[in-house]
Every structure is written in C-alpha cells, then in structure tokens.
C-alpha cells in the first residue's frame, strides 16, 4: 500500500490493477475502449486505494489550491455554524479559503462530498465525526492531505481529532446530577443512527448511574432528528409511562427546551416538580425564563483549533493526534 502521508497516486492504482498508468487514466476519463474486465479491475483498485483524480491541472496543481475542505452534517443546527465561525476566524489572514459541504447526516452524501472536495487537492480537510463509508475513509486516508475529524475524540482518528469525549460528557452529567441528590432518572433522546455522539452521551450517563447502583427508570427516543417540538412530545410520552422521576436528561438542548415547554403547559415547575438537563449550552436554553441546566461544548474553539493545527503542520504526522477542547457544566435553574 502507498504511504498514506504522501497520498495515493495514479501509479499506485496501476500497480494494483496490473495495468499501465495510461490505461488507468484513459478509463477514469472514459477516453477510448477498454475491456470490461480491465475496467472493473481498475475501478476496484481505485476503490481499494481511495484514489481521487486531480481536477487541478499543471502549474495550478503544483502551486496548491489554497482551499480547505469542510464537511458538516447540518447548517440548521446552531452547533455547526459556531464551529464554522471558529474555522473562519483561524483562516482569516492565512490566504486559505474554506469550501463547505453539508451532508444532511447522510454518509453516502458525505462520501460524494469527500470525493468532490479532494479532487480539488485542498490543503486540508475538516469533517465532523468518525463515521464514514469505507470508500470515504479510503479516500481520506489515501489523500495524503491533513485530515481533522472534529466534534468528538472517542475513536482513533485518521490524522487529527479535535473535540471532546461524548461518553465522558454523559458520564460527568450523571455524576453531576447524582451529586445534586437526584436518584430517579429518565432519558429523552433522538436518532442514534444519524447522531452517534448522542448515543455515546447516553451510554456515559448509564455508566455513571450503574457505578452508583442505579439505572434509568424510563427512556423515550424518536428515530428522527432532534427538535424543540420532539422534546416536548417525547417528555409527555416519557411521563405517561408511569414511573415517578425526579430528573430527566435530554440528548441535547433542543429536546430539553421542548421539555421546558411541556412543563410550562402542564403546570410542572422545574426543578421542584421535575429537574431537566440538556447538552450543548445553546443560547435559546439560557434565554428561557428558567435557564436550562446543561453542559456547554467549546464549538468555536474546536473549529479554530482544528484549522490552526492543520495549517501549522502541513505534512500528515506518522501518528494520529487527539486534542480535547473540553466542556463545562452550566448550572442553570432547571436542575
């Protein structure tokens, strides 16, 4: 296999497919005839190596694109615009520009964006999370450019990880609430398939409760994305299950804000009647008449740190690097 720090070349594909570089180039450009078996062998080698054709030509390619590719799952979730704000701040005055793609939490869309952005030979790539299709991972690993996987550090990165441990955040949430005297826990969450980080926080919470000899008494989760409306509906469904709860932990602040609205509509007063705890530290939660108790992640710092580290060292290091940007408890008034 090629040296991942240097990038996969046309010659690497040709060697694996056992054909000439001219044949590989001709097949990838759809110029001229090729035997079906040869074409299949070349395309299989492209997938295995993660080779991405270069869209930049001649002198432009040699001088670099001055681009940094960025892929985030959403722009409607306020979490990611704050990350992009940190990226923009770090790029200011650097001569580099960010090219942004939005995957809508779909790994196939992310794979297409990875191929499209890498084809322009960016100086670096920033991508949210560790979940990628095998083809996307092969392209990222084989590109040779610096890669920052951001927002979490719970797995081994391809190159650089910047963010915090979501499992530990969930664990620390549990310990904080146990320290406040809560013992009867419920949980309200959203889609774990699209949002693996929410699942990690849930698992960390469960681990903290288990360490104290406790467990969740009730749990309610939707398969779709998080929203204020979903949080309100799911808290109502959770409380209808019957167990008497003294605190409910939500997968994020959107859901927890909906929980506050349910309490307002039904006459429940947090935290006297029911404590509520979120995650993210969004402004909307802090602007409520009763500010939301939650955990705030350092999203701006995460984006800024990722870019600064990528541009400070342009060659991919031999060992992956992990940078923890941390989080903090916002005591609020709902727990």
């Amino acid at each position: 296999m090629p040296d991942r720090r240097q990038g996969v070349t046309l010659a690497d594909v040709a060697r694996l497919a056992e054909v000439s570089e001219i044949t590989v180039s001709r097949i990838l450009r759809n110029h001229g005839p090729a035997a079906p078996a040869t074409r299949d062998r070349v395309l299989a080698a492209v997938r295995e190596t993660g080779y991405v054709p270069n869209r930049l030509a001649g002198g432009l390619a040699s001088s670099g694109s001055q681009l940094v590719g960025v892929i985030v799952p959403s722009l409607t979730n306020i979490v990611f615009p704050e990350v992009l704000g940190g990226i923009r701040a770090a790029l200011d005055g650097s001569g580099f520009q960010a090219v942004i793609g939005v995957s809508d939490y779909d790994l196939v869309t992310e794979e297409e964006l990875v191929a499209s952005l890498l084809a322009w030979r960016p100086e670096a790539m920033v991508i949210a999370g560790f979940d990628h299709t095998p083809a996307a991972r092969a392209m990222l690993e084989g590109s040779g450019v610096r890669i920052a996987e951001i927002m979490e550090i719970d797995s081994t990165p391809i190159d650089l990880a910047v963010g915090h441990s979501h499992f530990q955040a969930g664990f620390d949430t549990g310990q904080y609430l146990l320290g406040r005297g809560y013992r009867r826990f419920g949980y309200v969450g959203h889609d774990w398939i699209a949002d693996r980080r929410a699942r990690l926080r849930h698992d960390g919470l469960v681990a903290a409760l288990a360490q104290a000899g406790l467990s969740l008494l009730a749990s309610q989760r939707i398969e779709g994305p998080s929203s204020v409306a979903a949080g309100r509906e799911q808290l109502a469904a959770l409380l209808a299950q019957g167990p008497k709860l003294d605190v409910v932990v939500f997968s994020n602040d959107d859901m927890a804000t909906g929980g506050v609205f349910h309490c307002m509509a039904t006459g429940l007063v947090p935290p006297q009647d029911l404590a509520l705890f979120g995650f993210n530290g969004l402004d909307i939660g802090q602007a409520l008449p009763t500010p939301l108790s939650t955990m705030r992640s350092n999203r701006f710092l995460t984006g800024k740190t990722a870019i600064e580290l990528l541009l400070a060292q342009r060659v991919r290091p031999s060992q992956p690097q992990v940078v923890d940007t941390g989080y903090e408890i916002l005591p609020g008034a709902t727990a």
Side-chain angles (χ1 to χ4, degrees):
M1 293 298 291
D3 185 341
R4 295 305 195 188
R5 287 174 290 171
Q6 300 301 318
V8 178
T9 66
L10 196 73
D12 297 322
V13 176
R15 190 178 306 110
L16 184 60
E18 298 181 336
V19 297
S20 69
E21 293 182 38
I22 293 175
T23 298
V24 173
S25 178
R26 190 173 66 245
I27 289 173
L28 293 181
R29 290 183 291 114
N30 284 321
H31 282 190
T38 302
R39 181 179 299 277
D40 290 346
R41 203 161 66 246
V42 168
L43 295 180
V46 168
R47 288 191 297 271
E48 182 175 339
T49 59
Y51 175 72
V52 180
N54 190 350
R55 285 182 180 167
L56 298 177
L60 181 59
S62 65
S63 63
S65 67
Q66 299 296 106
L67 301 176
V68 173
V70 180
I71 300 176
V72 294
S74 171
L75 290 179
T76 58
N77 185 333
I78 190 62
V79 166
F80 296 104
E82 289 185 20
V83 172
L84 293 177
I87 289 173
R88 184 209 59 77
L91 288 175
D92 188 32
S94 70
F96 289 90
Q97 297 293 327
V99 179
I100 300 165
V102 181
S103 69
D104 289 323
Y105 291 96
D106 183 85
L107 292 185
V108 174
T109 300
E110 182 193 86
E111 177 186 319
E112 294 168 352
L113 290 168
V114 167
S116 178
L117 291 173
L118 285 178
W120 291 103
R121 293 301 188 267
E123 184 70 25
M125 286 279 292
V126 178
I127 188 165
F130 291 119
D131 289 338
H132 318 295
T133 66
R137 179 170 294 278
M139 286 186 283
L140 291 167
E141 289 178 342
S143 66
V145 305
R146 296 299 314 271
I147 305 293
E149 292 162 291
I150 62 170
M151 307 302 288
E152 58 178 305
I153 58 172
D154 292 286
S155 298
T156 302
I158 294 169
D159 175 3
L160 169 68
V162 182
H164 64 271
S165 168
H166 287 263
F167 182 90
Q168 190 63 45
F171 188 89
D172 289 347
T173 293
Q175 287 205 316
Y176 173 77
L177 293 171
L178 288 166
R180 302 284 290 182
Y182 297 108
R183 292 297 180 270
R184 301 181 64 83
F185 282 73
Y187 174 83
V188 169
H190 65 283
D191 186 2
W192 285 346
I193 297 175
D195 192 346
R196 184 180 78 105
R197 293 179 286 278
R199 174 62 183 269
L200 288 168
R201 294 194 297 274
H202 167 274
D203 292 350
L205 170 67
V206 169
L209 296 183
Q211 190 176 90
L214 301 173
S215 61
L216 291 172
L217 297 184
S219 183
Q220 190 73 25
R221 184 169 56 87
I222 61 168
E223 295 303 321
S226 68
S227 69
V228 173
R232 179 173 178 174
E233 294 166 359
Q234 295 308 306
L235 179 58
L238 180 81
L239 297 179
Q241 291 183 29
K244 174 63 176 175
L245 305 173
D246 55 21
V247 62
V248 175
V249 178
F250 292 79
S251 54
N252 62 26
D253 280 7
D254 288 347
M255 302 288 280
T257 299
V260 172
F261 289 155
H262 171 76
C263 290
M264 293 171 65
T266 57
L268 293 172
V269 179
Q272 293 92 326
D273 299 324
L274 180 68
L276 309 175
F277 196 90
F279 178 83
N280 273 330
L282 300 184
D283 289 344
I284 185 174
Q286 300 309 299
L288 292 169
T290 304
L292 184 65
S293 301
T294 187
M295 181 177 282
R296 178 166 59 196
S297 56
N298 294 313
R299 298 177 291 275
F300 183 93
L301 179 62
T302 293
K304 185 172 184 290
T305 300
I307 292 297
E308 288 174 345
L309 292 174
L310 292 176
L311 297 186
Q313 182 178 349
R314 306 291 178 83
V315 178
R316 188 181 297 184
S318 58
Q319 296 297 321
Q321 181 183 5
V322 174
V323 177
D324 189 344
T325 51
Y327 46 76
E328 61 177 324
I329 296 284
L330 298 182
T334 62

